[in-house]
Amino acid sequence: MSDSVEFDAVVIGAGFGGLRALHDLRQMGLTTVLLEAGTDVGGVWYWNRYPGARTDSEAWYYCYSFSKEVLAEWDWSQRYPTQEEMSRYFQFVTDRLDLRKHIRFQTRLVGATWDESANVWVVRTDDGQSFTCRYLVSAAGPLSKPYLPDLPGLDSFTGQWYQSAYWPKHDIDFTGKRVAVVGTGASGVQVVPVVALSAAQVTVFQRTPNYVLPARNRPLDEAERVAIKADYDNIWERARRQFYAMDLPVCEQAAGDLSREDQQRVLERAWEVGGFRFLFNTFNDLWLDGKANEIASEFIRNKIRAIVKDPATAELLCPKYPLAAKRPPCGHNYYEAYNRENVSLVDVSENPITEILPTGLRTATDKYEADIIIFATGFDAVTGPAQGVDIRGRDGRRLSEAWETVPGTYLGLAVDGFPNLFTVAGPLGPFANGPTMVEGQVEFVTAAIAHMQRNGAAAMEPTPEAVDAWVRHAGEILEGTVLANAATANSWFLGANIPGKPRGILAYFGGAGTYFDRLQDEAASDFPGFTSIVSAQTAQQAVAVNS
């Protein structure tokens, strides 16, 4: 590339998207550096090391597909790997592919400015460094900015408090402690049963109940691992076509095609198998038809009522919104934990926490003593990471301002006015199995860069018309599903989990297979949704590339 830039590409974040981008860009021959705020690789699996942390997707498709060496050499120990196992996996991949020497750890991006005269990004880091690059690939991840409620009095708390997404590396002893867990999203659902094993008392503060699907975790034996590896080509083919990019079959029957007895039989079977199969192997209209969804929703509510012995607690745990309007987590004895004498539930939906006291928490009506507070309060998802970084595109426009209300991207990957910025797992990208989704996106990014090299383009960005059309398309799809109720579920799908955050669709729900087809069509058609800048210098480089 050009001698006028210090790096051809800079990648942000050492999670699934960032490491794949680093690998592929290096394979293209581009000088590339990856910036990572942590001390090691893993992204969300580096930071979220709280008790009970593990995947909600099954191991054999919650991983990279592109390296046959990694697939052949790595063995998963169980159906849903723990955070520790995921961390080891990322370290293995990084070292096996010799990527570590291209990563700057403990280095956080604080700003990047597009230099229109030179067609480069000027990147600034928190250690005072500044350097230029041609391409900026943000793979910070949609769930990389943890949300901590602004509660008065937190500084006065005399006990210990922790945030699930910034969990310390050392072990924490809960023995004999009174523990308050604030939040019942995916992290809270995993924390509660584990902490309850040793704590004297666990008080769970719930704003929005969840439909928690039983994971049914188990070890994988050698025969299963061998069979999975032998079938990997088919696994990835199926995952790329499946609606949420998972290797899970999708049923063809609608709820109305079955008798009530058969409906219950289908739901019971999926419940016992466990995991996200309950969403895909029951009714094909669960996502689209309110009546079908309510049959499945009430089935889970009845399971909660059957599991939890105290009727009042059981009802508080029963969601009233449609199943899947909020991301349902997989649980490991979550509901069963409420049958323990040392676990209690506090509903703060209409009686919220008002302040932190030196010895606990206070709502408008009650006071609760605590030695340890765990904030499992989720993330300012998708657009949140841009709020803390000063990224300025053409004419000094800030990305945070561009995404302040309805975030606009084209294909979830590019923003008009921000040339050569690629947002892997950005706004209006597909809500799908993360590894498979970001691999498809990174392949598109490298295809776009190769297109620029072939055609002598110094930069490319989507047209405003393409961005507007994609935003409208994503909104129209959402309105035709039960996900339109995401605001009532306080879901991050619409930013509804963050007080004061403008409501707007943050993800694409048209299906991963459809999305990947769209990416392929865009690349095969020479990127009609983009406009390019051609300079004499890059035109000369294109001649060299094509010769």
Side-chain angles (χ1 to χ4, degrees), residues 12-295:
I12 311 302
F16 275 114
L19 291 177
R20 175 70 198 268
L22 174 62
H23 172 270
D24 286 13
L25 293 169
R26 295 288 308 175
Q27 291 293 108
M28 293 180 70
L30 302 184
T31 57
T32 307
V33 65
L34 186 151
L35 308 181
E36 167 56 46
T39 62
D40 211 334
V41 293
V44 68
W45 295 108
Y46 168 84
W47 297 102
N48 289 259
R49 56 180 83 90
Y50 56 83
R54 66 172 67 238
T55 71
D56 277 352
S57 297
E58 289 157 320
W60 53 91
Y61 56 82
Y62 191 75
C63 57
Y64 286 120
S65 66
F66 71 96
S67 170
K68 291 189 179 298
E69 293 79 12
V70 169
L71 290 172
E73 295 172 19
W74 179 263
D75 287 318
W76 294 107
S77 69
Q78 54 191 302
R79 185 180 181 185
Y80 298 99
T82 64
Q83 181 272 335
E84 293 85 355
E85 186 167 7
M86 289 303 303
S87 181
R88 292 195 302 272
Y89 172 74
F90 276 103
Q91 293 166 10
F92 171 79
V93 171
T94 301
D95 295 332
R96 180 65 177 80
L97 301 179
D98 197 23
L99 300 177
R100 194 173 293 272
K101 62 188 177 185
H102 305 296
I103 303 174
R104 296 187 182 183
F105 292 106
Q106 294 181 279
T107 304
R108 187 181 296 274
L109 177 74
V110 296
T113 303
W114 177 251
D115 183 338
E116 295 189 45
S117 62
N119 293 319
V120 299
W121 283 99
V122 181
V123 175
R124 304 181 304 282
T125 60
D126 61 351
D127 57 3
Q129 295 188 65
S130 177
F131 45 86
T132 57
C133 66
R134 184 73 67 194
Y135 312 110
L136 182 60
V137 181
S138 174
L143 302 178
S144 61
K145 185 180 181 182
Y147 167 66
L148 183 67
D150 184 15
L151 293 171
L154 185 57
D155 291 342
S156 72
F157 184 58
T158 58
Q160 300 169 299
W161 68 269
Y162 304 97
Q163 199 169 357
S164 58
Y166 283 141
W167 203 261
K169 293 181 179 180
H170 62 269
D171 292 334
I172 297 169
D173 186 6
F174 297 100
T175 305
K177 302 292 187 181
R178 297 166 299 177
V179 181
V181 178
V182 181
T184 54
S187 300
V189 162
Q190 293 182 333
V191 163
V192 169
V194 177
V195 173
L197 295 176
S198 58
Q201 176 65 39
V202 178
T203 306
V204 183
F205 294 83
Q206 171 190 274
R207 180 180 66 170
T208 309
N210 247 313
Y211 292 99
V212 181
L213 305 173
R216 312 293 187 204
N217 189 41
R218 57 177 174 77
L220 297 177
D221 61 32
E222 183 61 22
E224 285 179 290
R225 287 193 288 265
V226 170
I228 287 168
K229 290 181 179 183
D231 195 38
Y232 255 135
D233 287 345
N234 293 322
I235 286 173
W236 299 126
E237 175 65 22
R238 292 191 298 264
R240 288 228 172 182
R241 302 312 311 167
Q242 203 256 9
F243 198 85
Y244 284 100
M246 298 177 175
D247 182 28
L248 296 176
V250 177
C251 67
E252 298 181 358
Q253 64 203 10
D257 296 337
L258 305 173
S259 67
R260 175 174 172 77
E261 291 74 18
D262 284 343
Q263 288 171 351
Q264 297 301 303
R265 176 182 54 80
V266 166
L267 292 167
E268 189 69 45
R269 182 176 60 209
W271 182 265
E272 289 305 316
V273 171
F276 291 136
R277 282 169 171 75
F278 191 88
L279 301 176
F280 304 113
N281 295 141
T282 50
F283 314 135
N284 66 2
D285 54 351
L286 185 150
W287 304 83
L288 304 173
D289 183 77
K291 292 182 180 179
N293 188 283
E294 177 57 22
I295 293 169

Side-chain angles (χ1 to χ4, degrees), residues 305-494:
R305 293 165 183 141
I307 294 170
V308 180
K309 296 177 181 178
D310 178 59
T313 300
E315 287 306 312
L316 288 177
L317 290 166
C318 287
K320 303 302 187 289
Y321 54 85
L323 172 64
K326 182 182 179 75
R327 178 192 177 279
C330 289
H332 303 262
N333 298 312
Y334 174 67
Y335 293 127
E336 290 83 353
Y338 290 96
N339 292 330
R340 299 177 62 98
E341 293 184 358
N342 66 330
V343 178
S344 59
L345 181 66
V346 177
D347 179 19
V348 294
S349 59
E350 297 182 3
N351 185 21
I353 299 169
T354 57
E355 65 175 319
I356 305 297
L357 303 171
T359 58
L361 304 84
R362 187 198 300 276
T363 66
T365 59
D366 298 286
K367 184 171 71 172
Y368 301 88
E369 298 293 315
D371 305 305
I372 297 175
I373 303 174
I374 298 174
F375 291 99
T377 44
F379 299 85
D380 186 352
V382 185
T383 57
Q387 300 300 316
V389 183
D390 185 18
I391 297 179
R392 303 190 188 201
R394 198 181 304 283
D395 300 321
R397 183 187 181 205
R398 286 187 172 90
L399 185 63
S400 58
E401 295 173 353
W403 288 351
E404 191 171 11
T405 52
V406 177
T409 69
Y410 183 46
L411 304 174
L413 280 166
V415 186
D416 55 307
F418 293 82
N420 289 4
L421 171 66
F422 297 99
T423 54
V424 175
L428 301 184
F431 177 69
N433 178 39
T436 305
M437 183 263 288
V438 298
E439 285 200 280
Q441 290 189 319
V442 170
E443 290 164 7
F444 180 86
V445 170
T446 55
I449 293 174
H451 170 79
M452 282 188 270
Q453 291 180 320
R454 288 193 305 271
N455 292 280
M460 64 187 290
E461 63 182 283
T463 66
E465 294 77 13
V467 170
D468 291 344
W470 184 251
V471 172
R472 288 196 305 273
H473 173 57
E476 289 166 356
I477 289 175
L478 182 79
E479 289 304 315
T481 72
V482 298
L483 299 168
N485 294 279
T488 62
N490 291 319
S491 173
W492 65 258
F493 293 162
L494 297 179

